[in-house]
Amino acid sequence: MTAGESSGSVVRRILLGSQLRRLRESRGITREAAGYSIRASESKISRMELGRVSFKARDVEDLLTLYGVTDDAERASLLGLAKEANIAGWWHSYGDVLPGWFQTYIGLEGAASLIRIYEVQFVHGLLQTEAYAHAVVRRGMPNGSNAEVDRRVALRLERQKALVSERAPRFHAVLDEAALRRPYGERDVMRGQLKHLIEVSEQPNVTLQVMPFSFGGHAGESGAFTLLRFPESDLSDIVYLEQLTSSLYLDKPEEVAQYDRAMERLQKDSPGPEESRDLLRGLLQLI
């Protein structure tokens, strides 16, 4: 199984859930009634429609019958989607060090065709060198064992493979200058990280910009965020916001639009890719 295939299972769960929701609403059936038909609670129907749980074929069959879906081809298509949605992602092997709330994000990240990020605290995980990632993870879990730290770093490096795969997404990163000046690890670690950013920024699918201190206040005032876009036309863009012990996903069009405008302003107000590389070279000379 490829990383792309397993990552796609998360998207398929969301797609199937949204289609089941539309079918239910078109028949005027409540979540409570839908739950009763499959011997489950209203909250389980809600989780299914949000794509947050796996699907049992029997439950999907019963719901399709309840929703009046009798066409064999349509039923087969949705049941096939349910089967694909239950494929375990490659990251499940890291379950010993991976918070449950982060697993959904990794699947979405791996399935996205466009990833846009703004980061202020440190260099984004998809752009970190192994040494820098080790320093970041160690700082975040000072009491963790060496084995735990190594596993988390390995997971981060595995995620990065998506940027150089055959189906690599377009990746547009805006890094605040603060993320580049805040030291993680020794001098050599920071120098290696800055050199890596310069190299990665030359990849055709990567656009890297630096928001300099000299600009002053800017559109990223609310902190770091990620915008994900998918090749599936019926899956909306998602905003991902990470917190200390959980995460938040926004998919309401009006909320996504606000973050989209903030990202566009950050991209417009930051120096372009070549000027940003010059900024990186300048910072490299200071270390």
Side-chain angles (χ1 to χ4, degrees), residues 247-264:
S247 58
L248 183 64
Y249 297 89
L250 307 177
D251 62 357
K252 291 182 180 178
E254 60 273 19
E255 293 181 323
V256 174
Q258 286 194 52
Y259 279 91
D260 193 62
R261 286 193 294 270
M263 179 58 73
E264 288 180 355

Side-chain angles (χ1 to χ4, degrees), residues 40-232:
S41 64
E42 177 183 355
S43 63
K44 181 177 179 179
I45 294 296
S46 177
R47 292 195 299 274
M48 288 174 68
E49 292 181 350
L50 291 170
R52 292 178 180 168
V53 292
S54 58
F55 294 87
K56 293 180 180 178
R58 178 184 171 185
D59 289 345
V60 176
E61 288 178 348
D62 290 347
L63 288 174
L64 292 178
T65 299
L66 177 67
Y67 300 158
V69 179
T70 57
D71 181 77
D72 288 341
E74 185 176 1
R75 289 178 69 93
S77 174
L78 291 170
L79 286 168
L81 196 58
K83 184 178 180 180
E84 294 170 359
N86 288 334
I87 297 173
W90 60 263
W91 57 90
H92 284 223
S93 63
Y94 290 90
D96 55 328
V97 294
L98 183 63
W101 53 265
F102 194 53
Q103 294 187 22
T104 296
Y105 173 74
I106 292 183
L108 291 173
E109 179 185 77
S113 58
L114 172 63
I115 303 172
R116 291 176 292 164
I117 66 99
Y118 168 66
E119 188 59 74
V120 65
Q121 176 69 16
F122 38 62
V123 172
H124 189 270
L126 291 181
L127 299 172
Q128 293 178 4
T129 64
E130 182 174 0
Y132 182 93
H134 197 279
V136 170
V137 172
R138 172 55 71 190
R139 188 79 57 87
M141 44 187 305
N143 298 320
S145 68
N146 290 336
E148 286 178 306
V149 172
D150 289 345
R151 288 279 287 163
R152 288 194 180 228
V153 171
L155 169 62
R156 194 159 300 182
L157 297 177
E158 190 68 31
R159 284 168 56 202
Q160 293 178 6
K161 292 180 180 179
L163 288 185
V164 294
S165 67
E166 288 184 11
R167 300 174 59 189
R170 286 183 294 137
F171 183 65
H172 197 146
V174 178
L175 300 180
D176 197 280
E177 186 175 341
L180 305 173
R181 286 185 175 271
R182 182 173 291 108
Y184 280 94
E186 300 297 328
R187 178 173 175 269
D188 287 347
V189 172
M190 291 302 297
R191 287 185 60 83
Q193 180 61 67
L194 291 174
K195 289 178 180 177
H196 179 67
L197 288 174
I198 294 169
E199 292 171 5
V200 172
S201 71
E202 300 279 5
Q203 290 179 206
N205 61 311
V206 175
T207 302
L208 176 60
Q209 293 177 263
V210 176
M211 169 53 77
F213 286 150
S214 59
F215 186 82
H218 54 70
E221 60 189 3
S222 63
F225 62 92
T226 299
L227 276 159
L228 300 172
R229 180 167 296 165
F230 307 93
E232 292 81 6

